[in-house]
């Protein structure tokens, strides 16, 4: 930060914020400026654009980026005091007023498309899938701000009257938002409402409207034009966060129009009467809520990041959504039928039979996969040899708890509370927090909920705490280390959690513990808060377990002492790994050293888990390591009580655990700990560790008789899909590419009506033989030039040590050279007979 | 005729073994004595011994990739064909070794 003072009422500064002067710092700056009577103007010296410093919108519109030189001019009655105050603000407070970087994360898709879709030869539009699923329907293209025609041509008789209409509407809308804010709403909702309030109160918006009214526009026209004016400025911004805010303006203007015209203005509610896909530049959350859900099958948006309110809403409503499709409304306005394939980040015109056929099959596959996952979703996770593991979810809000339980969570292994504090002007009150924890406890019912107390610090700034900037925040003032100084903040949270403990099975867990003194202090605080509440005759769970995160390596060496004090532990693998290996994962030069699969780290985990077991206490894991099914053999081998990961990963984790044997995993863990490099561990883990009994080479789900595939592309896809439905691959598109890469060497059509496509890849989780008997022979470019009637896919794990499976495949290959075998197999017309014949001939159990 | 053979295909899970099967079957039908080494996903199987290679009159390579331990055959006549040919038309492969 540097600035030079020309005179007290005009000075320059350089924008110190890494994300530029975006909505949040701009609104704080405007709020500060609003206290002065003087005229204040801000000029971006890079672009020459000037803005009223009291207007958030105007400041954002100046598009001030990191490093831009700016000047502030002060003129008016209190300029002598306003100048220095503003200078102090931009010097001291502005650098701290940024919130953590919110990356839109809307990466466009990469990776292969299925050949059957490519063969359809239609123009696909690429974007980023931000709410998964596939939807199809009639495209409904909606524009930005447009007025009903009768309002567009309305004549304003009296500017004064129009002014009054607008002023009344603004007052009403402002009051309504304030009322909504005063009710207890979720933090996410409150954030939206506050952003809306800032827009209603913005002077630039009212100035623009007033200017247009003075030029003879009606209230409606002035509002619509003003909205369009600011939206087009925001949409030009380089920051996706600011672009997303354009929709907030649209929404506010809609509300104002509704207020003024009541029933005449209905742009806020979009009437659909058939299965539809909405295509728009952007869409307002309220507009989305107004749509009848049963008709809305998908959303295609040109501008919207993962953080936009509409996208968050679409995700919670389960609407398949693709964003970032360039010129979506223009490109897609001519298409009647669309498919939104948010799993692949695609929008496909649904006009041809080939596309319809592809997606009809895709639908059926996904339905079958969901049915299979639903079956494992509510089953406990038990290994083939009977070891049960608890599978829990990590969440950041009370709203997520019910959804996690519906996805099979047996508890909440980590409720992060930081989100209640970050990005807020003040800490949430005890009542607010109590409401949130109580809602979480009640949504979980009989399931335990581990609430982690506030975990913030240099890396997760919270402006209202005024934490100092640090040169090395990860080794600094963070986690429970700040509690002693911010005792009131911690006490408030403790009381809220303890009060909520009366309504379910809550547990409390402290982050970033490194010494026994901290634990003793933590317990004394809990006891003290419990006493206070008892004295106030407030109900609580007196036996609420108290635990700590294992993130700092030091605690691994005082487990005996810790176990005497507390009830449970949860391993936070991200931080533990970074402290253990002394590696900053965000530093590209050393990031390669950081691996949770490093043998030393695995040995360390083993030391910790054994130490906790030896003292008879409970231990789970809630870091990123837990969400990767490939790490499961390590976690099962360690003997953890619980694995906690994000809710969407739970069904796959449960399914995989049920295929593993605890004994095999323990043996594997011993081998892993003997490795010298992470790479060797990766190799061992990449092997197929399913037990033979749970994942046989061949099962009835992998044999299809009477397939309606009409091309090689469809047949290969159908075989891959059957592996996907059976949970034998997580990435069918990539696996399909591997099979096609083999076809590129030379065709796998053997002649005699047989084809044997095959692949060796770690995308396969269990060695498999899949069989397709076709209704219609298809061309395969076979050795004898004849079409194919039976397709046998051999899919093998790349780094596999399972020789017995390989021997069976070799035997099958040899048998296929035998005419008798081929003829017999070709004559069989039901899946059962094919299965039993193959099992008998190949001598494999079913 | 005493023949040794090696089969090896790109993925090593299907064509390697199909070609081996075809060569063994056809050799038997034609009255030749053959031993086929497979170099597939399981590594080298049915590995040819030095003495077997020394006693053989010819080697058939039904291969699409570089094979391992090629030097064992340095002093033997080698007939090399694509794997596909051994599968599709093994008799023609044996005709070629006569020439």
């Amino acid at each position: 930060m540097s600035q030079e003072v020309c005179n007290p009422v005009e000075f320059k500064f350089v924008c110190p914020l890494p994300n530029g002067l975006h909505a949040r710092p701009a609104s704080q700056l405007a709020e500060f400026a609003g206290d002065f009577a003087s005229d204040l103007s801000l000029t971006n010296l890079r672009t020459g654009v000037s803005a009223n410093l009291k207007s958030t919108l105007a400041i954002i519109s100046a598009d001030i980026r990191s490093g831009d030189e700016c000047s502030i001019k002060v003129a008016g009655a209190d300029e002598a005091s306003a100048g220095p105050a503003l200078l102090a603000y931009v010097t001291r407070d502005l650098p701290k007023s940024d919130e953590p970087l919110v990356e839109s994360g809307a990466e466009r898709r990469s990776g292969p498309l299925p050949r059957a879709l490519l063969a359809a030869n239609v123009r696909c539009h690429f974007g980023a899938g931000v709410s998964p699923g596939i939807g199809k329907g009639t495209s409904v293209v909606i524009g930005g701000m447009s007025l009903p025609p009768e309002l567009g041509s309305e004549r304003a008789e009296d500017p004064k009257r129009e002014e009054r209409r607008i002023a009344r509407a603004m007052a009403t809308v402002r009051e309504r938002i304030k009322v909504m804010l005063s009710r207890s709403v979720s933090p996410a909702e409150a954030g939206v409402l506050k952003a809306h309030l800032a827009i209603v109160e913005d002077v630039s918006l009212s100035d623009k409207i007033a200017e247009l009214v003075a030029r003879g526009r009606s209230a409606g026209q002035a509002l619509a034009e003003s909205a369009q004016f600011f939206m087009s400025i925001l949409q030009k911004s380089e920051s996706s966060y600011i672009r997303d805010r354009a929709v907030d303006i649209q929404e506010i203007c809609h509300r104002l129009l509704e207020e003024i015209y009541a029933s005449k203005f209905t742009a806020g509610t979009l009437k659909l009467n058939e299965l539809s896909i909405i295509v728009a530049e952007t869409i307002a959350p309220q507009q989305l809520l107004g749509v009848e859900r049963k008709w809305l099958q998908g959303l295609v948006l040109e501008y919207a990041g993962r953080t936009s309110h509409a996208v968050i809403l679409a995700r919670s409503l389960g609407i398949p959504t693709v964003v970032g499709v360039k010129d979506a409304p223009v490109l897609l306005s001519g298409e009647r039928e669309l498919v939104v394939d948010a799993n692949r980040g695609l929008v496909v015109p649904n006009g041809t039979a080939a596309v319809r056929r592809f997606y009809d099959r895709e639908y059926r596959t996904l339905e079958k996969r969901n049915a299979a996952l639903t079956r494992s979703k509510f089953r406990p996770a038990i290994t083939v040899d009977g070891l049960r593991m608890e599978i829990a979810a990590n969440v950041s809000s009370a709203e997520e708890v019910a959804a996690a339980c519906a996805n099979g969570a047996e508890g909440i292994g980590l409720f992060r509370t930081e989100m209640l504090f970050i990005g807020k002007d003040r800490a949430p009150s005890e009542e607010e927090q109590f409401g949130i924890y109580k809602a979480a406890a009640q949504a979980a019912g009989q399931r335990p909920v581990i609430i982690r107390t506030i975990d913030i610090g240099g890396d997760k700034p919270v402006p209202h705490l005024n934490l100092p900037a640090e040169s090395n925040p990860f080794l600094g003032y963070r986690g429970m280390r700040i509690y002693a100084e911010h005792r009131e903040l911690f006490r408030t949270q403790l009381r809220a959690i303890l009060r909520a403990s009366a309504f379910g099975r809550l547990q409390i867990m402290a982050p970033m513990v490194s010494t026994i003194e901290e634990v003793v202090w933590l317990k004394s605080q809990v006891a003290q808060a419990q006493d206070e509440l008892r004295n106030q005759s407030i109900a609580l769970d007196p036996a609420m377990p108290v635990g700590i995160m294992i993130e700092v390596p030091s605690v691994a060496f005082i487990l005996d002492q810790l176990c005497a004090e507390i009830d449970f532990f949860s391993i936070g693998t991200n931080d533990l790994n970074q402290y253990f290996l002394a590696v900053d994962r965000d530093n590209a030069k050393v990031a390669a050293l950081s691996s949770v699969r490093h043998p030393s780290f695995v040995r360390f985990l083993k030391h910790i888990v054994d130490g906790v077991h030896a003292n008879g206490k409970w231990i789970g894991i809630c870091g990123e390591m837990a969400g990767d099914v490939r790490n499961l053999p390590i976690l099962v081998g360690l003997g953890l009580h619980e694995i906690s990961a994000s809710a969407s990963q739970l069904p796959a984790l449960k399914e995989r655990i049920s295929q593993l044997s605890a004994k095999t995993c323990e043996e594997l863990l011993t081998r892993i700990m003997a490795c010298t490099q992470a790479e060797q561990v990766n190799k061992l883990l990449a092997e197929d560790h399913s037990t033979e009994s749970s994942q046989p080479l061949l099962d009835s789900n992998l044999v299809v008789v009477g397939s309606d595939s009409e091309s090689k592309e469809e047949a290969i896809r159908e075989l891959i899909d059957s592996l996907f439905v059976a949970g034998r691959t997580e990435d069918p598109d990539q696996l399909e590419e591997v099979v096609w890469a083999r076809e590129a060497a030379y065709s796998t059509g053997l002649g005699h009506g047989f084809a044997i496509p095959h692949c060796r890849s770690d995308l396969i989780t269990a060695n498999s033989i899949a069989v397709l008997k076709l209704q219609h022979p298809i061309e395969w470019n076979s050795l004898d030039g004849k079409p194919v009637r039976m397709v046998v896919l051999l899919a093998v794990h790349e780094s596999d040590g399972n020789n017995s499976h390989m021997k069976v495949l070799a035997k099958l290959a040899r048998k296929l050279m035998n005419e008798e075998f081929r003829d017999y197999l070709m004559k069989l017309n039901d899946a059962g007979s094919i299965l039993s014949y193959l099992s008998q001939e190949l001598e494999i159990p079913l | 005729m005493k023949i040794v053979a090696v089969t090896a295909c790109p993925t090593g899970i299907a064509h390697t073994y199909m070609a081996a099967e075809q060569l063994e079957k056809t050799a038997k039908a034609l009255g030749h004595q053959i031993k086929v080494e497979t170099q597939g996903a399981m590594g080298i199987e049915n590995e040819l011994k030095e003495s077997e290679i020394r006693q053989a009159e010819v080697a058939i390579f039904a291969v699409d990739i570089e094979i391992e331990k090629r030097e064992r055959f340095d002093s033997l006549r080698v007939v090399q064909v694509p794997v596909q040919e051994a599968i599709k038309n093994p008799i023609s492969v044996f005709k070629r070794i006569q020439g």
Side-chain angles (χ1 to χ4, degrees):
Chain A
M1 177 91 207
S2 69
Q3 65 287 314
E4 51 186 280
V5 182
C6 308
N7 66 58
V9 290
E10 177 168 7
F11 60 89
K12 290 182 188 172
F13 69 100
V14 173
C15 173
L17 304 167
N19 295 324
L21 201 43
H22 64 78
R24 187 178 156 72
S27 68
Q28 290 182 17
L29 181 55
E31 196 184 329
F32 186 79
D35 289 344
F36 300 101
S38 298
D39 286 338
L40 307 172
S41 82
L42 169 71
T43 306
N44 182 348
L45 297 173
R46 176 176 58 84
T47 59
V49 175
S50 287
N52 181 343
L53 199 59
K54 294 177 186 174
S55 158
T56 308
L57 282 177
I59 297 174
I60 297 173
S61 305
D63 200 15
I64 296 169
R65 302 177 200 161
S66 183
D68 278 357
E69 198 184 12
C70 306
S71 78
I72 287 180
K73 272 194 204 125
V74 185
D78 55 1
E79 62 182 31
S81 61
L86 280 165
L87 176 58
Y89 183 88
V90 297
T91 314
R92 206 183 50 228
D93 299 316
L94 186 62
K96 288 191 282 184
S97 63
D98 196 5
E99 64 186 355
L101 177 65
V102 185
E103 183 45 67
S104 80
E107 298 114 26
R108 296 163 73 81
R109 74 175 308 282
S110 59
L113 286 184
R115 297 288 174 113
L117 183 57
L118 286 176
N121 212 9
V122 290
R123 185 172 170 202
C124 298
H125 302 277
F126 298 93
V130 288
S131 171
I134 294 177
K136 59 182 173 188
T138 306
S139 93
V140 176
V141 178
I142 58 175
M145 252 337 263
S146 58
L147 284 177
E150 68 272 21
L151 296 185
S153 57
E154 187 190 29
R155 297 187 57 86
E157 306 293 339
D158 175 9
K160 284 268 178 290
R161 177 174 167 261
E162 301 302 310
E163 246 173 58
R164 280 197 303 274
R165 291 167 88 183
I166 290 172
R168 246 196 330 265
M170 283 198 154
T172 313
V173 169
R174 184 165 52 224
E175 280 319 301
R176 202 173 295 149
I177 296 175
K178 282 184 175 164
V179 168
M180 286 168 80
L181 260 173
S182 69
R183 292 188 196 132
S184 89
V185 288
S186 75
E189 254 178 285
V192 177
L193 290 172
K194 279 184 192 158
H196 287 174
L197 194 59
I199 293 169
V200 186
E201 291 174 342
D202 198 288
V203 290
S204 288
L205 182 64
S206 44
D207 286 355
K208 183 81 194 167
I209 295 170
E211 175 201 325
L212 290 167
V213 167
R215 281 172 25 205
R217 303 287 203 286
S218 72
Q221 291 156 352
L223 265 170
E225 273 182 54
S226 306
Q228 200 58 56
F229 173 77
F230 285 109
M231 283 168 67
S232 64
I233 291 174
L234 298 195
Q235 279 167 352
K236 275 188 222 125
S237 167
E238 289 189 347
S239 151
S240 62
Y241 186 84
I242 291 181
R243 288 198 302 269
D244 288 346
R245 299 286 83 76
V247 198
D248 295 331
I249 296 184
Q250 183 179 348
E251 171 142 14
I252 282 301
C253 288
H254 272 143
R255 289 201 197 168
L256 293 170
L257 287 168
E258 279 172 341
E259 204 46 50
I260 296 170
Y261 296 102
S263 58
K264 262 195 260 172
F265 187 76
T266 51
T269 48
L270 188 64
K271 283 270 172 284
L272 302 178
N273 46 22
E274 57 180 333
L275 297 181
S276 305
I277 304 290
I278 290 184
V279 180
E281 284 183 5
T282 51
I283 190 166
Q286 201 197 20
Q287 209 170 1
L288 199 52
L289 280 173
V291 173
E292 248 191 296
R293 178 68 187 92
K294 67 171 178 176
W295 298 126
L296 182 57
Q297 299 295 301
L299 266 180
V300 181
L301 303 175
E302 185 174 349
Y303 305 104
R306 257 174 224 287
T307 53
S308 73
H309 300 136
V311 166
I312 292 168
L313 196 59
R315 248 196 311 259
S316 73
L317 295 172
I319 303 165
T321 302
V322 174
V323 302
V325 179
K326 269 207 179 317
D327 303 325
V330 181
L331 277 177
L332 299 170
S333 59
E335 306 288 350
R336 223 189 100 69
E337 290 288 315
L338 289 178
V339 177
V340 175
D341 181 346
N343 296 341
R344 298 190 175 89
L346 279 186
V347 183
V348 190
N350 197 21
T352 69
V355 171
R356 276 197 290 273
R357 229 180 115 74
F358 176 82
Y359 278 106
D360 284 348
R361 297 174 132 230
E362 182 86 353
Y363 261 123
R364 284 203 296 275
T365 301
L366 292 175
E367 266 171 26
K368 284 191 217 158
R369 174 66 182 152
N370 282 338
L373 278 179
T374 307
R375 281 195 294 279
S376 64
K377 195 154 89 175
F378 293 112
R379 277 201 297 251
I382 303 176
T383 62
V384 288
D385 49 352
L387 177 82
R388 161 131 198 211
M389 297 190 81
E390 289 162 40
I391 302 298
N394 298 344
V395 300
S396 302
S397 68
E399 290 86 348
E400 289 168 75
V401 174
C405 295
N407 218 23
E410 295 162 345
I412 300 301
L414 173 64
F415 185 120
R416 300 183 185 93
T417 58
E418 299 77 76
M419 298 316 285
L420 316 181
F421 297 82
I422 293 175
K424 301 287 147 52
D425 312 326
R426 54 174 185 86
S429 68
E430 182 180 317
E431 280 309 309
E432 278 174 70
Q433 292 190 58
F434 168 63
I436 292 165
Y437 306 142
K438 180 180 160 189
Q442 287 177 328
Q446 283 309 300
R447 303 174 186 86
V449 177
I450 299 179
I451 297 191
R452 182 173 72 186
T453 49
I454 180 170
D455 184 14
I456 49 176
D459 60 321
K460 298 178 201 160
V462 175
H464 58 81
L465 287 185
N466 288 319
L467 295 176
E470 295 176 82
S471 60
N472 204 343
F474 279 100
L475 299 182
Y477 200 46
R478 59 180 299 217
M480 93 165 272
R481 296 169 181 184
I482 72 161
Y483 294 174
E485 181 186 347
H486 298 273
R487 195 172 292 223
E488 219 18 64
L489 176 93
F490 181 57
R491 185 173 156 272
T492 303
Q493 185 174 35
L494 257 186
R495 282 176 57 94
I497 297 172
L498 287 166
R499 285 171 58 192
S501 73
F503 296 89
R505 288 180 59 195
L506 294 190
Q507 309 187 14
I508 192 168
M509 176 164 76
M512 199 64 192
V513 172
S514 49
T515 69
I516 191 87
E517 289 92 329
E518 287 167 334
V519 169
V520 172
W521 184 83
L522 173 72
K523 281 186 61 188
S524 72
Q525 295 299 305
V526 172
Q528 201 182 322
Q530 282 172 330
D531 284 345
E532 280 171 26
L533 289 170
R534 270 195 215 96
N535 291 339
Q536 294 171 274
S537 306
I538 295 175
L540 52 83
D541 170 11
M544 182 186 71
V546 176
I548 61 166
M549 293 281 291
I550 297 189
E551 295 164 293
V552 183
S554 62
V555 301
F557 300 93
I558 49 169
L559 289 170
D560 51 338
Q561 299 166 356
L562 290 168
C563 285
E565 298 291 336
I566 57 161
D567 305 305
F568 71 94
F569 300 85
S570 185
I571 304 176
T573 46
N574 305 355
D575 278 338
L576 185 63
N577 185 257
Q578 109 165 339
Y579 293 135
F580 180 71
L581 289 164
V583 169
D584 174 1
R585 295 196 303 172
D586 297 331
N587 180 341
K589 286 205 183 302
V590 294
L593 289 172
S594 113
S595 167
V596 291
R597 296 180 182 172
H598 200 283
S600 62
F601 187 66
V602 178
R603 287 184 187 200
F604 188 47
L605 291 177
K606 172 88 172 132
H607 169 86
I608 292 168
V609 177
D610 286 353
V612 174
H613 281 328
N615 290 285
K617 290 288 158 81
W618 187 100
I619 182 161
I621 187 169
C622 62
E624 248 171 56
M625 183 183 187
D628 187 341
V629 288
R630 290 168 304 180
N631 291 327
L632 275 178
I634 296 181
L635 306 184
V636 172
L638 283 170
L640 292 159
H641 291 103
E642 180 187 86
I643 292 178
S644 193
S646 67
S648 62
Q649 292 160 325
L650 306 187
L653 286 170
K654 284 186 169 183
E655 183 186 62
R656 191 78 187 121
I657 289 174
S658 69
Q659 295 161 354
L660 296 169
S661 134
K663 187 164 168 290
T664 316
C665 291
E666 270 174 47
E667 287 160 9
L668 182 71
L669 186 67
T670 310
R671 282 163 65 204
I672 285 174
M673 290 192 298
C675 290
T676 54
Q677 298 152 21
E679 206 30 58
Q680 294 168 343
V681 178
N682 288 342
K683 254 196 158 140
L684 280 177
L685 285 174
E687 283 176 16
D688 178 11
H689 300 294
S690 308
T691 53
E692 303 239 353
S693 58
S694 73
Q695 294 282 75
L697 261 178
L698 185 58
D699 72 43
S700 57
N701 297 316
L702 302 180
V703 179
V704 176
V705 171
S707 153
D708 66 349
S709 284
E710 286 174 354
S711 64
K712 184 173 177 177
E713 287 82 4
E714 285 190 354
I716 286 181
R717 185 69 198 188
E718 188 172 358
L719 286 158
I720 301 269
D721 280 344
S722 70
L723 297 180
F724 173 64
V725 169
R728 289 166 182 252
T729 183
E730 289 296 321
D731 194 343
D733 285 6
Q734 290 285 356
L735 187 64
E736 193 192 312
E737 266 318 282
V738 179
V739 172
W740 281 103
R742 169 59 194 85
E743 292 295 320
Y746 49 83
S747 167
T748 55
L750 284 185
H752 318 285
F754 277 88
I756 49 157
H758 49 269
C759 59
R760 268 173 78 193
S761 164
D762 285 343
L763 295 166
I764 279 287
T765 54
N767 296 335
S768 308
I769 301 174
V771 181
L772 214 56
K773 181 108 191 268
L774 299 159
Q775 275 174 32
H776 318 287
I778 58 183
E779 195 46 57
W780 208 281
N781 197 16
S782 295
L783 284 175
D784 60 1
K786 298 216 175 94
V788 160
R789 284 169 291 146
M790 191 172 231
V791 189
V792 182
L793 174 75
L794 311 178
V796 186
H797 208 78
E798 170 101 55
S799 29
D800 193 15
N802 192 338
N803 259 337
S804 70
H805 280 168
M806 292 301 305
K807 285 203 172 95
V808 174
L809 296 185
K811 194 168 184 178
L812 174 59
R814 284 175 181 267
K815 292 247 177 213
L816 283 166
M817 294 294 94
N818 179 331
E819 198 178 337
E820 242 175 87
F821 176 82
R822 287 196 305 260
D823 289 351
Y824 194 90
L825 195 55
M826 192 63 94
K827 282 201 195 94
L828 296 174
N829 268 323
D830 67 287
S833 328
I834 291 178
L835 208 59
S836 58
Y837 180 62
L838 284 176
S839 100
Q840 167 206 321
E841 288 288 308
L842 302 173
E843 297 170 58
I844 48 173
L846 283 179
Chain B
M1 202 189 286
K2 275 194 175 171
I3 305 167
V4 288
V6 178
T7 62
C9 68
T11 323
I13 63 177
H15 290 76
T16 300
Y17 304 101
M18 294 193 289
E21 182 74 14
Q22 288 295 69
L23 292 176
E24 285 166 10
K25 262 186 3 196
T26 313
K28 199 172 164 196
L30 298 174
H32 296 302
Q33 208 184 331
I34 194 168
K35 180 170 176 184
V36 185
E37 171 181 306
T38 54
Q39 297 193 3
M42 287 179 284
I44 297 180
E45 288 173 291
N46 203 28
E47 184 164 358
L48 294 165
K49 296 192 191 80
E50 216 172 290
S51 60
E52 288 164 338
I53 296 170
R54 213 171 34 240
Q55 286 161 21
E57 293 164 60
V58 64
I60 298 173
F61 285 2
V63 298
D64 296 325
I65 54 171
E66 281 292 312
I67 65 161
E68 288 185 38
K69 303 189 180 173
R70 174 79 172 74
E71 66 288 351
R72 291 175 293 169
F73 305 92
D74 281 351
S75 51
L76 188 62
R77 184 162 71 94
V78 173
V79 172
Q80 183 163 337
V81 297
V83 176
Q84 273 182 298
E85 193 181 337
I87 293 171
K88 182 183 176 185
N89 206 346
I91 293 179
S92 81
V93 175
F94 282 92
K95 277 196 186 130
R96 283 171 64 176
I97 64 171
Q98 313 286 359

